[in-house]
Amino acid sequence: VPNDPGFVEQWWLQPPVATPNGRTASAVDAVAAWDTTVGSPGVVVAVLDTGVRYEHPDLRRVAEGGKLLPGYDFVGTDSTGTARAANDGDGWDPDPSDPGDWITSAENTARGGDFQDCGVANSSWHGTKIAGIIGAAADNGQGMAGTAHGVRILPVRVLGKCGGYDSDIQAG
């Protein structure tokens, strides 16, 4: 059992538990699985999502002893040639860092705007969350534990503000 303080809150990694209605809560029982393997650095898991935060302490770059490989950003420019959905000022490039996918009230209500009716929201940092669920460092006394904390993560950024385009997702 890892010593990461967030591990106790990761119900999906715990052994299945019968609920009062007789059903079993969905879980993967990672503790038992880790007796067999925690994954291997030779295994690379691609995460196609909003990108990652390279400074996340449980992920960090491989060059810094972390899990994250260089990756790529496939969020392209919009039909007008700008990169508003990408929110990073450019289109495809070798930087899958997640600049955030928040939607402001003004963006949400702008008639005919790219983000009209997307819903006001703070950044989800979804790609970082998924990368962490898969491969966050474990037993380091901080954060949470990844399901396969021995693997490396290849971040492939395909989603930006208000989702993404099929063409970018397919390219990724």
Side-chain angles (χ1 to χ4, degrees):
V1 175
N3 65 3
D4 305 280
F7 176 70
V8 296
E9 298 171 21
Q10 292 178 272
W11 60 266
W12 59 91
L13 295 182
Q14 310 300 329
V17 176
T19 61
N21 65 7
R23 295 188 177 150
T24 301
S26 177
V28 297
D29 196 359
V31 175
W34 291 333
D35 287 341
T36 302
T37 184
V38 297
S40 162
V43 174
V44 175
V45 178
V47 175
L48 283 72
D49 210 307
T50 62
V52 294
R53 302 292 305 200
Y54 277 97
E55 69 277 10
H56 189 287
D58 268 343
L59 294 172
R60 297 185 347 267
R61 297 176 190 274
V62 167
E64 299 167 354
K67 309 290 181 169
L68 299 172
L69 294 166
Y72 204 84
D73 176 2
F74 283 97
V75 180
T77 55
D78 305 318
S79 59
T80 60
T82 62
R84 288 187 301 270
N87 203 30
D88 64 357
D90 57 21
W92 290 14
D93 62 41
D95 181 9
S97 297
D98 187 344
D101 59 358
W102 67 87
I103 303 291
T104 66
S105 179
E107 290 171 324
N108 185 57
T109 58
R111 291 187 70 80
D114 291 330
F115 311 116
Q116 180 182 356
D117 299 326
C118 289
V120 176
N122 293 326
S123 289
S124 68
W125 311 117
H126 195 266
T128 301
K129 289 176 188 176
I130 298 305
I133 288 170
I134 296 168
D139 213 24
N140 62 351
Q142 66 180 1
M144 56 186 260
T147 306
H149 51 267
V151 303
R152 293 186 178 185
I153 303 291
L154 178 67
V156 181
R157 184 168 182 251
V158 297
L159 302 173
K161 292 174 71 131
C162 202
Y165 299 109
D166 289 347
S167 56
D168 291 340
I169 296 167
Q170 291 165 353

